[in-house]
């Protein structure tokens, strides 16, 4: 997994490439948590994401809950069909904001 962070003023876009699995989900969680307080909105760009496990889904839900407490939006963009199917099967498409 590779994560590229880009700020546009107070909006953080994290482009995630590869796979979010049991091991890499811990890295993603750490990367998101390190940026808390530095942004007013978070965009997760999944253009090059190939796979996400239940551990990765848990990271997304945890991050969304933390951000929601401070009224900070988290948007997931550019989801391919495979990842979208995982979101639908897990019901996360109804919980997460996906564009």
């Amino acid at each position: 997994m590779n994560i590229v962070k880009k700020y546009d003023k107070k909006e953080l876009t994290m482009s995630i490439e590869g796979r979010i699995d049991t091991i890499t989900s811990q890295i993603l969680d750490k990367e998101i948590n390190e940026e808390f307080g530095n942004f007013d909105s978070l965009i997760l760009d999944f253009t090059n994401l190939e796979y996400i496990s239940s551990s990765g889904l848990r990271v997304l839900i945890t991050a969304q809950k933390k951000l929601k407490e401070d009224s900070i939006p988290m948007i997931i963009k550019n989801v391919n069909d495979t990842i979208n199917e995982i979101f639908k099967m897990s019901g996360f498409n109804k919980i997460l904001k996906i564009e």
Side-chain angles (χ1 to χ4, degrees), residues 60-61 64 74 76 87 92-98:
L60 297 180
I61 288 297
Q64 180 176 276
M74 181 179 92
I76 300 171
F87 285 150
F92 279 53
N93 62 321
K94 296 176 180 157
I95 301 168
L96 300 170
K97 183 169 182 179
I98 303 168

Side-chain angles (χ1 to χ4, degrees), residues 9-67:
K9 297 181 182 168
K10 295 288 274 179
E11 179 179 84
L12 172 61
T13 298
M14 296 178 78
S15 299
I16 303 164
E17 181 180 329
R19 298 170 55 89
I20 304 174
D21 55 29
T22 304
I23 295 168
T24 58
S25 65
Q26 296 170 20
I27 298 166
L28 177 60
D29 186 51
K30 181 178 179 254
E31 293 287 331
I32 293 172
N33 284 320
E34 284 178 354
E35 297 296 331
F36 277 144
N38 296 332
F39 58 85
D40 290 339
S41 66
L42 175 62
I43 296 171
L44 299 175
D45 184 345
F46 282 4
T47 299
N48 295 309
L49 186 67
E50 301 165 5
Y51 172 80
I52 187 165
S53 71
S54 59
S55 300
L57 294 174
R58 194 167 26 258
V59 169
L60 297 180
I61 288 297
T62 302
Q64 180 176 276
K65 285 181 182 178
K66 287 180 186 177
L67 293 171

Side-chain angles (χ1 to χ4, degrees), residues 63-77:
Q64 180 176 276
K65 285 181 182 178
K66 287 180 186 177
L67 293 171
K68 195 172 189 177
E69 291 173 4
D70 295 329
S71 299
I72 297 173
M74 181 179 92
I75 302 166
I76 300 171
K77 291 188 174 185

